[in-house]
């Protein structure tokens, strides 16, 4: 009898030991499987505050009256894809690229043009100070923004920005950020992982593009306008938690917002909010209705020059 109990105890100890070993070895794989396609945890942050300190260091440019900007262009991009990786998901039925997809070669050419022309990429705090008339910025100043938080921004865009000494702003739908990293697959709607964000937080300022409200209702009304104000507030508060409390800026999905939204932006402490109105930014621009010019794949380099003011002295 004693021998039988001793055998059972030894067997149980060995079994529990092996079970614990297996769990430890495959914990990450199991976690990934359970998490796949789940929304990013509402109470979890990206843990990037320390590596975002650079965006708080506002520069003093000391430019002469002749060399200071009267207005600044804010550009808007979404996806940037290598030409040999273009798939059906990137194309209209006509065979043209969808409006939110830019070829990497074209994007690289545009960034090289900015570099050759001596453009300075401003941080959001610098743009905010320019709007408020607190600082002068160089004539060739620009802000580069990227909406939604696609993984190609980390894979394709970040290295190009680093190469040219530029920075950008990533407006992230925080709820679609992946807790675990995955292999880059350009033929899918693949979003940034936490690892992607942490690896590119020296290049991008990460800001809110909602938590899970980048959607439309059955009648196509954007959630930001169609959903009850309390639900909108809760969604934006969650995005702020994911962004480690950062409230520097917000970009409205589809560029849609109303007066109630603007009041909410103010209450939540957002310093500024962006639209998709294709105009330039001047001192005195409404800080909660900052315009942006989207860059489209069908545009030529001449079109791009006009957009940033090189053709008509607009900067």
């Amino acid at each position: 009898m004693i021998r039988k109990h001793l055998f059972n105890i030894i067997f149980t100890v060995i079994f529990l030991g092996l079970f614990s070993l297996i769990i430890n070895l495959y914990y990450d794989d199991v976690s990934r499987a359970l998490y796949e396609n789940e929304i990013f945890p509402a109470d979890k942050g990206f843990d990037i505050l320390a590596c975002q300190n650079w965006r708080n260091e506002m520069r003093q440019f000391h430019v002469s009256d002749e060399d200071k900007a009267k207005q600044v262009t804010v550009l808007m991009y979404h996806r940037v894809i290598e030409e040999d990786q273009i798939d059906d998901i990137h194309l209209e039925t006509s065979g043209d690229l969808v409006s939110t997809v830019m070829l990497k070669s074209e994007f690289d050419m545009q960034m090289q043009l900015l570099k050759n022309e001596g453009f300075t990429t401003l941080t959001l705090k610098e743009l905010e100070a320019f709007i408020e008339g607190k600082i002068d910025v160089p004539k060739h100043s620009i802000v580069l923004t990227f909406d939604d938080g696609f993984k190609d921004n980390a894979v394709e865009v970040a290295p190009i920005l680093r190469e040219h000494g530029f920075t950008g702003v990533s407006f992230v739908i925080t709820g679609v950020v992946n807790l675990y990293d995955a292999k880059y697959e350009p033929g899918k709607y693949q979003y940034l992982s936490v690892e992607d964000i942490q690896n590119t937080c020296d290049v991008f300022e990460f800001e809110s593009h909602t938590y899970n409200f980048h959607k439309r209702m059955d009648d196509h009304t954007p959630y930001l306008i169609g959903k009850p104000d309390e639900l909108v507030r809760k969604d934006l508060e969650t995005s702020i938690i994911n962004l480690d409390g950062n409230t520097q800026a917000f970009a409205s999905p589809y560029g849609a917002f109303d007066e109630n939204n603007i009041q909410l932006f103010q209450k939540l402490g957002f310093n500024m909010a962006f639209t998709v109105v294709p105009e330039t930014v001047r001192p005195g621009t409404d800080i909660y209705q900052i315009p942006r010019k989207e860059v489209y794949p069908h545009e030529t380099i001449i079109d791009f020059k006009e957009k940033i003011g090189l053709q008509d002295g607009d900067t």
Side-chain angles (χ1 to χ4, degrees):
M1 181 66 73
I2 295 175
R3 183 176 297 176
K4 182 179 180 180
H5 284 307
L6 184 59
F7 173 80
N8 288 338
I9 292 171
I10 293 172
F11 177 81
T12 302
V13 169
I14 293 173
F15 175 80
L16 290 175
L18 289 173
F19 182 78
S20 297
L21 178 62
I22 292 170
I23 288 296
N24 286 330
L25 286 174
Y26 295 100
Y27 176 78
D28 285 345
D29 292 333
V30 172
S31 297
R32 284 180 173 84
L34 291 173
Y35 178 76
E36 188 176 2
N37 298 323
E38 292 292 328
I39 195 166
F40 190 83
D43 60 349
K44 188 175 179 64
F46 298 149
D47 194 23
I48 54 172
L49 281 184
C51 66
Q52 293 269 273
N53 284 335
W54 58 270
R55 64 186 178 85
N56 296 318
E57 298 173 1
M58 192 162 58
R59 296 166 288 183
Q60 296 296 324
F61 295 101
H62 305 295
V63 291
S64 66
D65 288 343
E66 183 181 347
D67 294 328
K68 69 182 182 182
K70 296 179 180 177
Q71 50 197 15
V72 172
T73 298
V74 180
L75 296 180
M76 176 175 65
Y77 295 91
H78 290 79
R79 303 198 68 182
V80 175
I81 306 293
E82 282 270 19
E83 191 161 2
D84 62 1
Q85 294 176 331
I86 292 298
D87 206 339
D88 289 344
I89 196 173
H90 307 123
L91 301 173
E92 303 280 7
T93 54
S94 64
D96 295 329
L97 287 170
V98 299
S99 64
T100 55
V101 172
M102 176 69 58
L103 292 179
K104 182 181 177 181
S105 58
E106 294 293 325
F107 178 75
D108 198 7
M109 186 186 306
Q110 293 167 4
M111 295 302 104
Q112 188 62 57
L113 173 67
L114 295 180
K115 184 68 173 181
N116 293 344
E117 294 292 338
F119 272 78
T120 298
T121 50
L122 301 180
T123 66
L124 291 180
K125 283 193 178 296
E126 290 167 348
L127 180 66
E128 180 185 0
F130 168 76
I131 291 171
E132 294 174 345
K134 294 178 179 178
I135 65 168
D136 293 326
V137 300
K139 183 181 293 185
H140 286 174
S141 292
I142 203 159
V143 177
L144 306 173
T145 69
F146 302 82
D147 280 12
D148 301 341
F150 288 104
K151 190 176 182 70
D152 53 77
N153 290 184
V155 176
E156 309 290 11
V157 174
I160 294 175
L161 296 185
R162 284 196 191 98
E163 178 186 350
H164 295 304
F166 293 159
T167 61
V169 180
S170 177
F171 286 109
V172 182
I173 308 167
T174 64
V176 300
V177 170
N178 291 293
L179 193 59
Y180 298 101
D181 198 32
K183 181 182 177 181
Y184 174 50
E185 298 182 73
K188 294 183 177 180
Y189 282 110
Q190 192 177 19
Y191 294 95
L192 295 167
S193 66
V194 173
E195 183 176 329
D196 290 326
I197 290 175
Q198 293 174 345
N199 288 341
T200 59
C201 61
D202 62 318
V203 175
F204 290 116
E205 299 182 59
F206 290 99
E207 310 293 341
S208 177
H209 201 36
T210 75
Y211 172 63
N212 194 32
F213 267 26
H214 195 299
K215 300 176 181 179
R216 294 183 184 271
M217 303 177 74
D218 291 341
D219 63 357
H220 300 293
T221 301
Y223 270 27
L224 214 64
I225 295 174
K227 289 291 185 178
D229 291 346
E230 180 59 24
L231 293 183
V232 175
R233 180 191 62 78
K234 184 176 180 180
D235 179 90
L236 300 195
E237 285 179 337
T238 303
S239 75
I240 293 170
I241 292 171
N242 296 154
L243 291 163
D244 304 318
N246 174 32
T247 57
Q248 176 60 41
F250 178 80
S252 300
Y254 319 108
F257 61 92
D258 58 21
E259 187 57 38
N260 287 344
N261 292 151
I262 293 177
Q263 292 177 15
L264 179 60
F265 302 157
Q266 295 171 326
K267 289 178 182 177
L268 292 178
F270 284 109
N271 292 3
M272 54 208 312
F274 289 79
T275 71
V276 295
V277 177
E279 297 177 357
T280 51
V281 179
R282 299 173 179 269
T285 292
D286 188 333
I287 202 71
Y288 292 106
Q289 298 187 58
I290 301 173
R292 294 188 290 169
K293 295 182 179 181
E294 185 166 5
V295 184
Y296 297 103
H298 64 271
E299 295 175 329
T300 66
I301 198 67
I302 300 301
D303 296 327
F304 184 75
K305 287 182 177 181
E306 291 178 352
K307 188 159 290 189
I308 63 177
L310 282 181
Q311 296 297 97
D312 56 11
D314 196 33
T315 55

